[in-house]
Coordinates of all heavy atoms in Angstrom, one line a residue:
V1 N 36.7 182.1 271.9 CA 37.9 181.3 272.2 C 37.7 179.9 271.7 O 36.7 179.3 272.1 CB 38.3 181.4 273.6 CG1 39.5 180.6 274.0 CG2 38.6 182.9 274.0
G2 N 38.6 179.3 271.0 CA 38.5 177.9 270.6 C 37.9 177.7 269.2 O 37.9 176.6 268.7
N3 N 37.4 178.8 268.6 CA 36.8 178.7 267.3 C 37.6 179.3 266.2 O 37.2 179.5 265.1 CB 35.4 179.4 267.3 CG 34.4 178.7 268.2 OD1 34.5 177.5 268.4 ND2 33.5 179.4 268.7
V4 N 38.8 179.7 266.6 CA 39.7 180.3 265.6 C 41.0 179.5 265.5 O 41.6 179.0 266.4 CB 40.1 181.7 266.1 CG1 41.1 182.4 265.2 CG2 38.9 182.6 266.3
N5 N 41.4 179.3 264.2 CA 42.7 178.6 263.9 C 43.8 179.6 263.5 O 43.5 180.5 262.8 CB 42.5 177.6 262.8 CG 41.6 176.4 263.2 OD1 41.6 176.0 264.4 ND2 40.9 175.8 262.3
L6 N 45.0 179.3 264.0 CA 46.1 180.1 263.6 C 47.1 179.3 262.8 O 47.4 178.2 263.2 CB 46.8 180.6 264.9 CG 48.2 181.2 264.7 CD1 48.1 182.6 264.2 CD2 49.0 181.1 266.0
T7 N 47.5 179.8 261.7 CA 48.6 179.2 260.9 C 49.7 180.2 260.7 O 49.5 181.4 260.4 CB 48.0 178.8 259.5 OG1 46.9 178.0 259.6 CG2 49.1 178.1 258.7
L8 N 50.9 179.8 261.0 CA 52.1 180.6 260.8 C 52.8 180.2 259.6 O 53.1 179.0 259.4 CB 53.0 180.5 262.0 CG 52.4 181.0 263.4 CD1 53.4 180.7 264.5 CD2 52.1 182.5 263.3
Y9 N 53.2 181.1 258.8 CA 54.0 180.8 257.6 C 55.4 181.5 257.9 O 55.5 182.7 258.1 CB 53.4 181.4 256.3 CG 52.1 180.8 256.0 CD1 50.9 181.4 256.5 CD2 52.0 179.7 255.3 CE1 49.7 180.8 256.2 CE2 50.7 179.1 255.0 CZ 49.6 179.7 255.4 OH 48.4 179.1 255.2
T10 N 56.4 180.6 257.9 CA 57.8 181.1 258.3 C 58.7 180.9 257.1 O 58.6 180.0 256.3 CB 58.3 180.4 259.5 OG1 58.3 179.0 259.3 CG2 57.4 180.6 260.7
A11 N 59.8 181.7 257.1 CA 60.9 181.6 256.1 C 62.2 182.0 256.8 O 62.2 183.0 257.5 CB 60.6 182.5 254.9
P12 N 63.2 181.2 256.6 CA 64.5 181.5 257.2 C 65.2 182.7 256.6 O 66.0 183.4 257.2 CB 65.3 180.2 257.0 CG 64.7 179.5 255.9 CD 63.2 179.9 255.9
N13 N 64.9 183.0 255.3 CA 65.4 184.1 254.5 C 64.4 184.6 253.6 O 63.5 183.9 253.2 CB 66.6 183.6 253.7 CG 67.8 183.2 254.6 OD1 68.2 183.9 255.5 ND2 68.3 182.0 254.4
P14 N 64.5 185.9 253.2 CA 63.5 186.5 252.3 C 63.4 185.8 251.0 O 62.4 185.8 250.3 CB 64.0 187.9 252.2 CG 64.9 188.2 253.3 CD 65.5 186.9 253.7
D15 N 64.5 185.2 250.5 CA 64.5 184.6 249.2 C 64.2 183.1 249.2 O 64.3 182.4 248.2 CB 65.8 184.9 248.5 CG 67.0 184.3 249.2 OD1 66.8 184.0 250.4 OD2 68.1 184.3 248.6
T16 N 63.8 182.5 250.3 CA 63.5 181.1 250.4 C 62.0 180.9 250.5 O 61.2 181.8 250.8 CB 64.2 180.4 251.6 OG1 63.8 181.1 252.8 CG2 65.7 180.5 251.5
A17 N 61.5 179.6 250.2 CA 60.1 179.3 250.3 C 59.6 179.3 251.7 O 60.3 179.0 252.7 CB 59.9 178.0 249.6
E18 N 58.3 179.6 251.9 CA 57.7 179.6 253.2 C 57.4 178.2 253.6 O 57.1 177.3 252.8 CB 56.4 180.4 253.2 CG 56.6 181.9 253.1 CD 55.2 182.6 253.1 OE1 54.2 182.0 252.8 OE2 55.3 183.8 253.5
T19 N 57.4 178.0 254.9 CA 56.9 176.7 255.5 C 55.7 177.0 256.3 O 55.6 177.9 257.1 CB 58.0 176.1 256.4 OG1 59.2 176.0 255.7 CG2 57.6 174.8 257.1
S20 N 54.7 176.1 256.2 CA 53.4 176.3 256.9 C 53.5 175.6 258.3 O 53.9 174.4 258.3 CB 52.3 175.7 256.1 OG 51.1 175.7 256.9
N21 N 53.2 176.3 259.3 CA 53.2 175.7 260.7 C 51.8 175.8 261.2 O 51.2 176.9 261.5 CB 54.1 176.5 261.6 CG 55.5 176.5 261.1 OD1 56.2 175.5 261.3 ND2 55.9 177.5 260.4
G22 N 51.1 174.7 261.4 CA 49.7 174.7 262.0 C 48.8 174.0 261.0 O 49.2 173.3 260.1
P23 N 47.5 174.2 261.1 CA 46.9 175.2 262.0 C 46.8 174.8 263.4 O 46.7 173.6 263.7 CB 45.5 175.3 261.3 CG 45.2 174.0 260.7 CD 46.6 173.5 260.3
Y24 N 46.8 175.7 264.3 CA 46.7 175.5 265.7 C 45.3 176.1 266.2 O 45.0 177.3 265.8 CB 47.8 176.2 266.5 CG 49.2 175.8 266.1 CD1 49.9 176.6 265.2 CD2 49.7 174.6 266.5 CE1 51.2 176.2 264.8 CE2 51.0 174.2 266.1 CZ 51.7 175.0 265.3 OH 53.0 174.6 264.9
T25 N 44.6 175.4 267.0 CA 43.3 175.9 267.5 C 43.7 176.8 268.7 O 44.3 176.3 269.7 CB 42.4 174.8 268.0 OG1 42.1 174.0 266.8 CG2 41.1 175.3 268.5
L26 N 43.3 178.0 268.7 CA 43.6 179.0 269.8 C 42.8 178.8 271.0 O 41.6 178.5 270.9 CB 43.5 180.4 269.3 CG 44.4 180.8 268.1 CD1 44.2 182.2 267.8 CD2 45.8 180.5 268.4
T27 N 43.4 178.8 272.1 CA 42.7 178.8 273.4 C 43.0 180.2 274.1 O 43.5 181.1 273.5 CB 43.2 177.7 274.3 OG1 44.6 177.8 274.5 CG2 42.9 176.3 273.6
A28 N 42.6 180.3 275.4 CA 42.8 181.6 276.1 C 44.2 182.1 275.9 O 44.5 183.2 275.7 CB 42.4 181.4 277.5
K29 N 45.2 181.2 276.1 CA 46.6 181.5 275.9 C 47.3 180.3 275.2 O 47.2 179.2 275.7 CB 47.3 181.8 277.2 CG 48.8 182.1 277.1 CD 49.4 182.4 278.4 CE 50.9 182.7 278.2 NZ 51.6 182.9 279.4
T30 N 47.9 180.6 274.1 CA 48.5 179.5 273.3 C 50.0 179.9 273.1 O 50.3 180.9 272.7 CB 47.8 179.4 271.9 OG1 46.4 179.2 272.1 CG2 48.4 178.3 271.1
T31 N 50.8 178.9 273.5 CA 52.3 179.1 273.4 C 52.8 178.3 272.3 O 52.6 177.1 272.2 CB 52.9 178.7 274.8 OG1 52.4 179.5 275.8 CG2 54.4 179.0 274.7
L32 N 53.5 178.9 271.4 CA 54.1 178.3 270.2 C 55.5 178.8 270.1 O 55.9 179.8 270.5 CB 53.4 178.7 268.9 CG 51.9 178.3 268.9 CD1 51.3 179.0 267.7 CD2 51.7 176.9 268.9
R33 N 56.4 177.9 269.4 CA 57.7 178.3 269.2 C 58.1 178.0 267.8 O 58.0 176.8 267.4 CB 58.7 177.6 270.2 CG 60.1 178.0 270.0 CD 61.0 177.4 271.0 NE 60.7 177.9 272.3 CZ 61.4 177.7 273.4 NH1 62.6 177.1 273.3 NH2 61.1 178.3 274.5
V34 N 58.6 179.0 267.0 CA 59.1 178.7 265.7 C 60.4 179.5 265.5 O 60.6 180.5 266.3 CB 58.1 179.2 264.6 CG1 56.8 178.3 264.6 CG2 57.7 180.6 264.7
K35 N 61.2 179.1 264.6 CA 62.5 179.8 264.3 C 62.5 180.2 262.9 O 62.4 179.4 262.0 CB 63.6 178.8 264.6 CG 65.0 179.5 264.5 CD 66.1 178.5 265.0 CE 67.4 179.2 264.9 NZ 68.5 178.2 265.3
A36 N 62.5 181.5 262.7 CA 62.5 182.1 261.3 C 62.9 183.5 261.4 O 62.8 184.2 262.4 CB 61.1 181.9 260.7
R37 N 63.2 184.1 260.2 CA 63.5 185.5 260.1 C 62.2 186.3 259.7 O 62.1 187.4 260.0 CB 64.6 185.8 259.1 CG 65.9 185.4 259.7 CD 67.0 185.8 258.7 NE 68.3 185.4 259.3 CZ 69.4 185.6 258.7 NH1 69.5 186.3 257.5 NH2 70.6 185.2 259.2
Q38 N 61.3 185.6 259.0 CA 60.1 186.2 258.6 C 58.9 185.3 259.0 O 59.0 184.1 258.8 CB 60.1 186.4 257.0 CG 61.1 187.4 256.5 CD 60.9 187.6 255.0 OE1 60.5 186.7 254.3 NE2 61.3 188.8 254.6
V39 N 57.9 186.0 259.5 CA 56.7 185.2 259.9 C 55.4 186.0 259.4 O 55.3 187.2 259.5 CB 56.6 185.2 261.5 CG1 55.3 184.5 261.9 CG2 57.8 184.5 262.1
R40 N 54.5 185.2 258.8 CA 53.2 185.7 258.4 C 52.2 184.9 259.2 O 52.2 183.7 259.3 CB 53.1 185.4 256.9 CG 51.8 186.0 256.3 CD 52.0 186.0 254.7 NE 52.2 184.8 254.2 CZ 51.3 183.9 253.6 NH1 50.0 184.3 253.7 NH2 51.7 182.8 253.1
V41 N 51.2 185.7 259.7 CA 50.1 185.1 260.5 C 48.8 185.1 259.7 O 48.4 186.0 259.1 CB 49.9 186.0 261.8 CG1 48.8 185.4 262.6 CG2 51.2 186.0 262.6
K42 N 48.1 183.9 259.8 CA 46.8 183.8 259.2 C 45.8 183.2 260.2 O 46.1 182.2 260.8 CB 46.9 182.8 258.0 CG 45.5 182.6 257.3 CD 45.7 181.6 256.1 CE 44.4 181.4 255.4 NZ 44.5 180.4 254.3
L43 N 44.7 183.9 260.4 CA 43.6 183.5 261.3 C 42.4 183.1 260.5 O 42.0 183.9 259.6 CB 43.3 184.6 262.3 CG 44.4 185.1 263.2 CD1 44.0 186.4 263.9 CD2 44.7 184.0 264.2
T44 N 41.9 181.9 260.8 CA 40.6 181.5 260.1 C 39.7 180.9 261.2 O 40.1 180.5 262.2 CB 41.0 180.4 259.1 OG1 41.6 179.3 259.8 CG2 41.8 180.9 257.9
E45 N 38.4 180.9 260.8 CA 37.4 180.4 261.8 C 37.3 178.9 261.6 O 37.2 178.4 260.5 CB 36.1 181.1 261.6 CG 35.4 180.9 260.2 CD 34.1 181.6 260.1 OE1 33.8 182.4 261.0 OE2 33.5 181.5 259.0
A46 N 37.3 178.2 262.8 CA 37.2 176.8 262.8 C 35.7 176.4 262.7 O 35.3 175.4 262.1 CB 37.8 176.2 264.0
V47 N 34.9 177.2 263.4 CA 33.4 177.0 263.4 C 32.8 178.3 263.1 O 33.3 179.3 263.7 CB 33.0 176.5 264.8 CG1 31.4 176.4 264.9 CG2 33.6 175.2 265.2
A48 N 31.9 178.4 262.2 CA 31.2 179.6 261.8 C 30.6 180.3 263.1 O 29.6 179.7 263.6 CB 30.2 179.4 260.7
S49 N 31.1 181.3 263.6 CA 30.6 182.0 264.7 C 31.1 183.5 264.7 O 32.0 183.8 263.9 CB 31.0 181.3 266.0 OG 32.4 181.4 266.1
A50 N 30.6 184.3 265.6 CA 31.1 185.7 265.7 C 32.4 185.7 266.4 O 32.4 185.2 267.6 CB 30.0 186.5 266.3
W51 N 33.4 186.3 265.9 CA 34.7 186.4 266.5 C 35.4 187.7 266.0 O 35.0 188.2 264.9 CB 35.6 185.2 266.4 CG 35.9 184.8 265.0 CD1 35.2 184.1 264.2 CD2 37.1 185.1 264.3 NE1 35.8 183.9 263.0 CE2 37.0 184.5 263.1 CE3 38.3 185.8 264.7 CZ2 38.1 184.7 262.1 CZ3 39.3 185.9 263.7 CH2 39.2 185.3 262.5
R52 N 36.3 188.2 266.7 CA 37.1 189.3 266.2 C 38.5 189.2 266.7 O 38.8 188.4 267.7 CB 36.5 190.6 266.7 CG 36.4 190.7 268.2 CD 35.7 192.0 268.6 NE 35.6 192.0 270.1 CZ 35.8 193.0 270.8 NH1 36.0 194.2 270.2 NH2 35.7 193.0 272.1
V53 N 39.4 189.9 266.1 CA 40.8 189.9 266.4 C 41.1 191.0 267.4 O 40.8 192.2 267.1 CB 41.7 190.0 265.2 CG1 43.2 190.0 265.6 CG2 41.4 188.8 264.2
G54 N 41.7 190.7 268.5 CA 42.2 191.7 269.4 C 43.6 192.0 269.2 O 44.1 192.0 268.1
V55 N 44.4 192.2 270.2 CA 45.8 192.5 270.1 C 46.6 191.1 270.0 O 46.4 190.2 270.8 CB 46.3 193.2 271.4 CG1 47.8 193.4 271.4 CG2 45.6 194.5 271.5
I56 N 47.4 191.1 269.0 CA 48.2 189.9 268.8 C 49.6 190.2 269.3 O 50.2 191.2 268.9 CB 48.4 189.5 267.3 CG1 47.0 189.1 266.7 CG2 49.3 188.4 267.1 CD1 47.0 188.9 265.3
R57 N 50.1 189.4 270.3 CA 51.4 189.7 270.9 C 52.3 188.6 270.5 O 52.0 187.4 270.7 CB 51.2 189.7 272.4 CG 50.5 190.9 272.9 CD 50.6 191.0 274.4 NE 49.3 190.7 274.9 CZ 49.1 190.6 276.2 NH1 50.0 190.8 277.1 NH2 47.9 190.3 276.6
L58 N 53.4 189.0 270.0 CA 54.5 188.0 269.6 C 55.7 188.4 270.4 O 56.2 189.5 270.3 CB 54.8 188.1 268.1 CG 53.7 187.9 267.1 CD1 54.1 188.1 265.7 CD2 53.2 186.4 267.3
G59 N 56.2 187.4 271.1 CA 57.5 187.6 271.9 C 58.6 187.1 271.0 O 58.7 186.0 270.6
V60 N 59.5 188.1 270.6 CA 60.5 187.8 269.7 C 61.9 187.9 270.4 O 62.1 188.9 271.1 CB 60.5 188.8 268.5 CG1 61.6 188.5 267.5 CG2 59.1 188.7 267.8
I61 N 62.7 186.9 270.3 CA 64.1 186.9 270.9 C 65.1 186.5 269.8 O 64.8 185.8 268.9 CB 64.2 186.0 272.1 CG1 64.0 184.6 271.7 CG2 63.3 186.5 273.2 CD1 64.3 183.6 272.8
Q62 N 66.3 187.0 270.0 CA 67.3 186.7 269.0 C 67.8 185.3 269.3 O 67.9 184.8 270.4 CB 68.5 187.7 269.2 CG 69.7 187.4 268.3 CD 70.8 188.5 268.5 OE1 70.6 189.4 269.2 NE2 71.9 188.3 267.8
S63 N 68.0 184.6 268.2 CA 68.4 183.2 268.2 C 69.9 183.1 268.1 O 70.6 184.2 268.1 CB 67.8 182.4 267.1 OG 68.1 181.0 267.2
S64 N 70.5 181.9 268.1 CA 71.9 181.8 267.9 C 72.4 182.3 266.6 O 71.7 182.4 265.6 CB 72.3 180.3 268.0 OG 71.7 179.6 267.0
R65 N 73.6 182.8 266.6 CA 74.2 183.3 265.4 C 74.9 182.2 264.6 O 75.2 181.2 265.1 CB 75.2 184.4 265.7 CG 74.5 185.6 266.4 CD 75.6 186.6 266.7 NE 75.0 187.7 267.5 CZ 74.9 188.9 267.0 NH1 75.4 189.2 265.8 NH2 74.4 189.9 267.7
R66 N 75.2 182.5 263.3 CA 75.9 181.6 262.5 C 77.3 181.5 262.9 O 78.0 182.4 263.2 CB 75.8 181.9 261.0 CG 74.4 181.8 260.5 CD 74.5 182.0 259.1 NE 73.3 182.6 258.5 CZ 73.1 182.7 257.3 NH1 73.9 182.3 256.4 NH2 72.0 183.3 256.9

């Protein structure tokens, strides 16, 4: 915990360019909020050490409509 960085790449539509959000250093529980239709997750090590990916949980809710 604390040696992994999270970067989120978000896009409002499939045909638009991605926006980079982060990197965020992960702690035991990290709360983030982004608004997008597409999200790509990238995990990288901040410090060279042994780590592994467990279950990634994303809470997704519907946003306002147009």
Side-chain angles (χ1 to χ4, degrees):
V1 175
N3 294 331
V4 178
N5 289 331
L6 168 77
T7 305
L8 297 174
Y9 298 93
T10 59
N13 295 307
D15 58 347
T16 58
E18 290 182 333
T19 302
S20 174
N21 300 280
Y24 303 101
T25 301
L26 298 183
T27 58
K29 180 179 178 182
T30 304
T31 303
L32 303 170
R33 183 179 290 196
V34 295
K35 186 175 180 179
R37 289 188 180 178
Q38 293 185 333
V39 177
R40 185 166 55 98
V41 177
K42 180 180 179 182
L43 297 170
T44 56
E45 61 184 7
V47 177
S49 62
W51 60 278
R52 62 186 177 139
V53 176
V55 176
I56 298 175
R57 290 190 253 177
L58 301 174
V60 180
I61 61 169
Q62 183 176 351
S63 183
S64 61
R65 296 179 185 245
R66 293 190 214 188

